[in-house]
Amino acid sequence: MAKPGFFSPLLLLLLFAIFRATLSTNSPDIVSDQTALLAFKSHISHDPHNLLATNWSSSASVCNLIGVTCGSRHHRVTALNLSSMDLTGTIPSQLGDLSFLASLDIRHNSFHGSLPTELTSLHRLKYLNFGNNSFSGEIPSWFGYFTTLQSLYLYDNNFTGVIPSTFGNLSKLETLSMHNNNLQGKISSVIGNLTSAVEINLTYNNFKGHLPSWTFDNLSKLQLLHLRENRISGTIPSSISKCKELWFLSLNKNSLEGSIPIEIGNLTMLEYLDLGYNNLNGQIPSSICNLSSLLGLSLFNNNLDGAIPECIGSSASSLVYLELGENNFHGKIPDTFAQVCTLLSFQISNNQIEGSLPRSLVNCKDLKLLDVGNNYLNDTFPAWLGNLEQLQVLILRWNRFHGQVGSPEVTVSFTRLRAVDISHNNFSGYLPVKFLKNLHAIREGYEKKDKQEYMEDVLAFGTWNYAFRLSFTTKGLETEFEKLLTIWTAIDFSNNQFCGEIPKTLGDLHSLIVLNLSHNCLIGPIPSSLGDLSELESLDLSSNQLQGRIPTEFTNLGFLEVVNLSHNDLKGPIPKGKQFDTFTNDSYIGNLGLCGLPLSKSCGNDEGTRTPARLDKDGDDDDDDGINWKFSILMGYGCGLVLGLSMGYIVFATGKPWWFIRIYERVRQRCAKR
Ligand SMILES: *[C@@H]1O[C@H](CO)[C@@H](O)[C@H](O)[C@H]1NC(C)=O
Ligand SMILES: *[C@@H]1O[C@H](CO)[C@@H](O)[C@H](O)[C@H]1NC(C)=O
Ligand SMILES: *[C@@H]1O[C@H](CO)[C@@H](O)[C@H](O)[C@H]1NC(C)=O
Ligand SMILES: *[C@@H]1O[C@H](CO)[C@@H](O)[C@H](O)[C@H]1NC(C)=O
Ligand SMILES: *[C@@H]1O[C@H](CO)[C@@H](O)[C@H](O)[C@H]1NC(C)=O
Ligand SMILES: *[C@@H]1O[C@H](CO)[C@@H](O)[C@H](O)[C@H]1NC(C)=O
Ligand SMILES: *[C@@H]1O[C@H](CO)[C@@H](O)[C@H](O)[C@H]1NC(C)=O
Ligand SMILES: *[C@@H]1O[C@H](CO)[C@@H](O)[C@H](O)[C@H]1NC(C)=O
Ligand SMILES: *[C@@H]1O[C@H](CO)[C@@H](O)[C@H](O)[C@H]1NC(C)=O
Ligand SMILES: *[C@@H]1O[C@H](CO)[C@@H](O)[C@H](O)[C@H]1NC(C)=O
Ligand SMILES: *[C@@H]1O[C@H](CO)[C@@H](O)[C@H](O)[C@H]1NC(C)=O
Ligand SMILES: *[C@@H]1O[C@H](CO)[C@@H](O)[C@H](O)[C@H]1NC(C)=O
């Protein structure tokens, strides 16, 4: 039996009042939130995982919907997070009715179209992430109404046009991320007014104009500034030193000129300074020595000259990347690499550096890449580098190194080396058997072929973007590599004075892809063991005094694309079958004793399976593949033909050609001398 007192009319009235109150304050608004979300759902045209289709039903409670967060006090939708759901759709105007929304995250989907003006009602918005979608059109000027906005991510879309001036109203904005769009306009009108900015990322756009001194006047909180790959010109203003908190600065691939301001030394928090691929000139300011936290420094591809400051080496106690290549630096590399040297990569190619390779580099135990190519270094072979167990890429090309490639100082040395280029020096003596035997990485093939890993992944550290290119001769072409696959292996000993026979053990380097021993004084037969180099794509033994026959084992080299055996004393028939049917005369000229196709000299009984008509046409009726082979050969061989051709492993630089021209000139000079 119920207790009548308990259900007294007064109490019922009270309960009813409470119920009504709840209804009137919350229900209509949560209902409008629900309407807005269902409108949003109806604009989703593709939901492959059926996430919203099943979960966002009209009967479910709004705050329980996937991706929805409600405020604990008002029970209104405060956050919507639909990131990485593979959704395709557009943004409906009703989304503007989520009037309590503070955070909207729809990154990593395929939303497209333009943004409805009604979104301006979202005046509580602090976090907005539309990154990695397919939005296009101009960025609406009403973004300037989001005066409470702290984080705005519009990166990886297809926004075009200028950033509206109303962005100057975003005085609370801490993060502005718009990289990878097609935005343009003056850079100064974008960043100067964002007085709360901590991080600005405008990488990969088309911003132009210069950085006026006042740009940095009020950016005292700025920590990261990414302006890489735009078209910013003029000088780097000294006022940049007002950004006292700055620890990341990338101006890579712009058109900046003038000298590096000495005030840069005031940015004592700086860890990454990337000024590569600009037109900066003058010397490196010595104030750079005050940047004791510096981890990465790139001045690659500028017009800087003068000497390398002594401190560069000693501050290498913190430096991880040092990229000084393609400038006009001269003098010596300071022999001041700190006892505890943390360098992973040291790149100083294409300068006018003299003297010897600093012995203190041996302190840099983690060094993976050393490129000192195209300088005037005068030294003997740095066998002591064999102590650097991590070394993978060693480039000494185009210098004045001389003497024998001596025995390494330690028994296990150069074991991880997979790309070594000591070409165009004055090395002499026999080919270094012991050195070659030690190249375990090339022999065993540490790297898995199916693993698409690039050198930049190997060198990855923090937020640094590997920003230089390497240059190798492969398949007869001087080739610039902006990315280098870790499975890529190369030995280039060409244009030295290596004499004697080619050691048989070379055939043990099973993962070798590029072998160039051309322009030496090698004698004797080509060892048939070279037929074991099953990964080989490019073989150049030209301009030596090699004798005997071309080993028939060479037909096993299934990946061989380019072969050059010209200008030797080879004789006998040219092997037939597979790749060997695609090589042309150029591969063999200058060997009086060779016979058989593609040469016009027949070998007598061996030959004759093909008609002379075919011979005359010289492969004019080649299929597509044949034409391709031929194209690379024609482009590649012969002095002075220094051309780039995309070939699987390479990604070309589209930048300035002057360096290229310089190489070209050097090659031409060499050729002229011959
Ligand atoms: C929707 O998803 C949320 C979060 O995964 C879950 O808690 C809720 O029960 C789901 N609702 C329905 C109706 O499936
Ligand atoms: C949205 O969800 C993803 C995945 O759970 C998470 O990584 C991200 O931080 C969330 N976004 C916001 C703004 O909290
Ligand atoms: C962009 O989003 C897609 C999914 O829509 C994802 O596969 C891809 O990794 C994302 N890209 C980046 C750079 O995060
Ligand atoms: C970006 O927009 C331009 C011009 O509107 C268009 O030509 C281009 O195809 C778009 N790119 C992508 C990736 O959507
Ligand atoms: C935003 O900035 C513009 C000038 O660019 C100004 O006219 C407008 O009043 C500002 N709006 C708000 C809401 O502050
Ligand atoms: C941006 O700053 C400049 C210089 O102080 C000022 O003239 C301009 O009005 C500001 N723009 C906005 C939109 O606040
Ligand atoms: C800045 O943009 C670059 C280039 O797209 C990107 O790799 C990097 O992750 C971005 N950094 C941040 C912090 O958004
Ligand atoms: C920097 O801030 C000061 C004080 O608020 C202001 O007077 C000046 O115009 C601002 N400068 C710029 C370039 O916005
Ligand atoms: C900034 O650097 C210059 C030159 O190195 C120096 O004279 C000046 O005192 C520094 N300013 C501050 C505020 O540290
Ligand atoms: C390094 O910083 C100190 C202290 O701020 C300063 O006195 C000195 O001039 C700076 N050195 C250079 C080369 O700028
Ligand atoms: C290399 O240095 C040695 C000794 O310093 C000198 O005799 C020689 O001429 C130099 N060689 C070249 C090519 O500069
Ligand atoms: C190269 O070395 C040989 C001796 O091995 C020497 O005769 C010759 O002058 C050197 N050439 C250059 C350019 O240093």
Side-chain angles (χ1 to χ4, degrees):
M1 234 203 191
K3 293 176 190 166
F6 191 76
F7 288 105
S8 73
L10 196 68
L11 194 68
L12 279 176
L13 207 67
L14 190 71
L15 283 171
F16 182 70
I18 291 172
F19 180 68
R20 268 198 64 125
T22 317
L23 209 70
S24 64
T25 53
N26 281 346
S27 290
D29 294 331
I30 195 75
V31 166
S32 79
D33 281 0
Q34 184 174 38
T35 313
L37 290 174
L38 291 177
F40 186 67
K41 179 184 170 182
S42 72
H43 280 75
I44 307 270
S45 57
H46 191 51
D47 177 8
H49 312 299
N50 274 329
L51 287 171
L52 303 192
T54 53
N55 192 286
W56 279 28
S57 73
S58 49
S59 58
S61 164
V62 173
C63 298
N64 286 338
L65 300 183
I66 196 165
V68 172
T69 307
C70 289
S72 53
R73 239 166 9 108
H74 304 290
H75 289 280
R76 295 290 309 276
V77 176
T78 54
L80 183 58
N81 186 347
L82 303 176
S83 63
S84 306
M85 290 186 173
D86 293 328
L87 302 172
T88 305
T90 55
I91 306 290
S93 57
Q94 288 92 329
L95 203 67
D97 295 339
L98 296 174
S99 50
F100 276 69
L101 200 66
S103 170
L104 175 57
D105 186 350
I106 57 167
R107 82 183 98 154
H108 305 318
N109 285 294
S110 299
F111 286 99
H112 55 91
S114 52
L115 303 170
T117 322
E118 285 77 4
L119 294 185
T120 46
S121 320
L122 304 175
H123 57 274
R124 286 185 167 88
L125 216 51
K126 287 186 175 150
Y127 179 99
L128 186 60
N129 197 332
F130 287 172
N132 190 12
N133 278 284
S134 304
F135 290 110
S136 56
E138 302 207 346
I139 294 177
S141 63
W142 45 255
F143 263 99
Y145 293 131
F146 294 140
T147 46
T148 52
L149 203 60
Q150 293 170 355
S151 307
L152 176 59
Y153 299 87
L154 301 177
Y155 66 90
D156 289 344
N157 277 288
N158 200 5
F159 286 112
T160 50
V162 301
I163 293 186
S165 62
T166 53
F167 265 62
N169 295 338
L170 301 178
S171 58
K172 299 248 166 56
L173 197 66
E174 294 173 6
T175 306
L176 176 65
S177 171
M178 295 194 163
H179 55 273
N180 273 320
N181 281 287
N182 279 312
L183 297 166
Q184 49 178 295
K186 279 191 185 167
I187 188 70
S188 57
S189 57
V190 184
I191 57 179
N193 295 46
L194 301 174
T195 52
S196 298
V198 173
E199 170 160 17
I200 296 175
N201 193 344
L202 303 176
T203 298
Y204 299 120
N205 280 290
N206 287 307
F207 290 107
K208 61 176 199 291
H210 63 297
L211 294 163
S213 179
W214 53 260
T215 320
F216 298 106
D217 277 358
N218 292 337
L219 299 183
S220 58
K221 297 188 179 127
L222 196 63
Q223 294 183 22
L224 301 96
L225 181 58
H226 305 254
L227 299 179
R228 183 181 166 137
E229 300 210 30
N230 280 283
R231 286 157 41 200
I232 302 167
S233 54
T235 58
I236 304 172
S238 57
S239 61
I240 188 116
S241 66
K242 291 183 178 160
C243 307
K244 290 249 172 290
E245 314 260 307
L246 202 64
W247 61 265
F248 185 100
L249 176 61
S250 175
L251 299 170
N252 190 291
K253 292 199 178 165
N254 279 285
S255 306
L256 293 161
E257 53 196 27
S259 52
I260 302 172
I262 54 170
E263 288 78 5
I264 206 112
N266 294 4
L267 294 171
T268 49
M269 311 281 275
L270 215 52
E271 292 183 8
Y272 297 93
L273 177 59
D274 184 356
L275 306 177
Y277 291 99
N278 279 289
N279 300 318
L280 298 168
N281 55 34
Q283 308 200 351
I284 302 181
S286 58
S287 65
I288 215 156
C289 299
N290 271 357
L291 301 178
S292 54
S293 307
L294 211 56
L295 297 173
L297 173 64
S298 175
L299 304 174
F300 187 83
N301 192 282
N302 279 286
N303 293 316
L304 296 163
D305 53 29
I308 310 289
E310 292 263 315
C311 72
I312 290 269
S314 47
S315 63
S317 53
S318 70
L319 265 184
V320 175
Y321 302 104
L322 185 51
E323 301 169 5
L324 304 175
E326 300 190 21
N327 280 288
N328 296 310
F329 293 123
H330 46 253
K332 296 181 174 185
I333 302 171
D335 193 6
T336 50
F337 289 94
Q339 206 69 47
V340 187
C341 167
T342 47
L343 275 181
L344 284 185
S345 153
F346 179 36
Q347 214 280 347
I348 193 169
S349 68
N350 288 278
N351 282 287
Q352 282 122 53
I353 300 294
E354 305 162 340
S356 51
L357 208 54
R359 298 301 188 263
S360 55
L361 262 178
V362 82
N363 295 331
C364 308
K365 294 276 181 235
D366 299 323
L367 200 66
K368 293 184 173 169
L369 183 149
L370 178 63
D371 179 6
V372 299
N374 295 72
N375 280 292
Y376 302 117
L377 288 165
N378 175 0
D379 202 345
T380 54
F381 181 76
W384 45 273
L385 284 175
N387 288 306
L388 305 181
E389 288 176 21
Q390 302 299 319
L391 196 63
Q392 298 188 21
V393 177
L394 173 63
I395 301 173
L396 308 178
R397 68 203 309 256
W398 292 102
N399 273 288
R400 294 169 179 169
F401 284 96
H402 51 83
Q404 302 197 2
V405 175
S407 293
E409 285 171 358
V410 285
T411 44
V412 181
S413 63
F414 295 111
T415 47
R416 302 207 100 205
L417 204 58
R418 53 185 185 74
V420 52
D421 185 348
I422 62 172
S423 67
H424 297 274
N425 279 290
N426 199 13
F427 286 116
S428 54
Y430 293 117
L431 284 176
V433 177
K434 198 164 175 199
F435 173 86
L436 293 169
K437 269 189 169 169
N438 272 330
L439 301 175
H440 288 270
I442 307 184
R443 205 168 59 203
E444 326 286 354
Y446 287 157
E447 309 295 338
K448 291 268 173 298
K449 260 245 158 175
D450 52 358
K451 201 170 72 179
Q452 287 271 313
E453 196 186 31
Y454 288 94
M455 197 63 199
E456 66 180 342
D457 307 320
V458 174
L459 295 175
F461 182 89
T463 46
W464 188 252
N465 275 306
Y466 169 105
F468 57 86
R469 53 190 172 213
L470 301 171
S471 188
F472 288 99
T473 304
T474 171
K475 301 174 191 172
L477 302 172
E478 176 82 22
T479 308
E480 291 181 350
F481 290 73
E482 278 206 336
K483 287 177 170 227
L484 200 58
L485 272 175
T486 52
I487 56 162
W488 196 79
T489 54
I491 293 178
D492 191 344
F493 281 15
S494 66
N495 292 276
N496 280 287
Q497 296 185 43
F498 287 111
C499 300
E501 299 198 1
I502 299 177
K504 287 190 189 63
T505 49
L506 208 50
D508 297 337
L509 301 175
H510 296 295
S511 302
L512 193 59
I513 290 175
V514 177
L515 176 61
N516 190 348
L517 303 176
S518 69
H519 297 273
N520 280 295
C521 45
L522 299 170
I523 56 168
I526 300 175
S528 57
S529 66
L530 293 194
D532 297 338
L533 299 176
S534 53
E535 307 285 336
L536 206 62
E537 295 178 12
S538 174
L539 174 65
D540 191 348
L541 303 176
S542 66
S543 299
N544 282 290
Q545 286 124 50
L546 296 168
Q547 290 143 344
R549 297 179 162 224
I550 301 174
T552 49
E553 286 83 354
F554 274 18
T555 52
N556 298 338
L557 301 177
F559 292 108
L560 200 60
E561 289 179 27
V562 173
V563 74
N564 191 351
L565 304 174
S566 65
H567 300 287
N568 279 293
D569 280 330
L570 298 170
K571 62 172 194 231
I574 290 169
K576 280 187 287 186
K578 297 188 188 162
Q579 264 72 9
F580 275 80
D581 293 341
T582 65
F583 304 134
T584 61
N585 287 359
D586 309 75
S587 298
Y588 311 109
I589 51 170
N591 290 282
L592 292 178
L594 283 179
C595 62
L597 284 174
L599 299 178
S600 48
K601 181 177 167 190
S602 104
C603 303
N605 292 341
D606 285 356
E607 269 300 312
T609 45
R610 288 178 184 176
T611 64
R614 162 97 190 195
L615 195 75
D616 288 344
K617 276 159 101 192
D618 195 16
D620 274 351
D621 53 349
D622 270 350
D623 55 18
D624 283 352
D625 271 4
I627 285 166
N628 278 340
W629 295 126
K630 192 160 168 177
F631 181 61
S632 23
I633 294 162
L634 284 177
M635 298 299 270
Y637 285 112
C639 247
L641 272 173
V642 186
L643 286 169
L645 192 68
S646 176
M647 292 175 300
Y649 294 97
I650 51 179
V651 176
F652 272 97
T654 48
K656 310 174 182 80
W658 67 266
W659 171 80
F660 210 52
I661 290 163
R662 203 164 109 189
I663 294 259
Y664 177 79
E665 284 302 322
R666 285 215 206 183
V667 172
R668 255 193 13 192
Q669 282 163 18
R670 295 264 167 162
C671 289
K673 270 190 239 160
R674 278 198 317 168

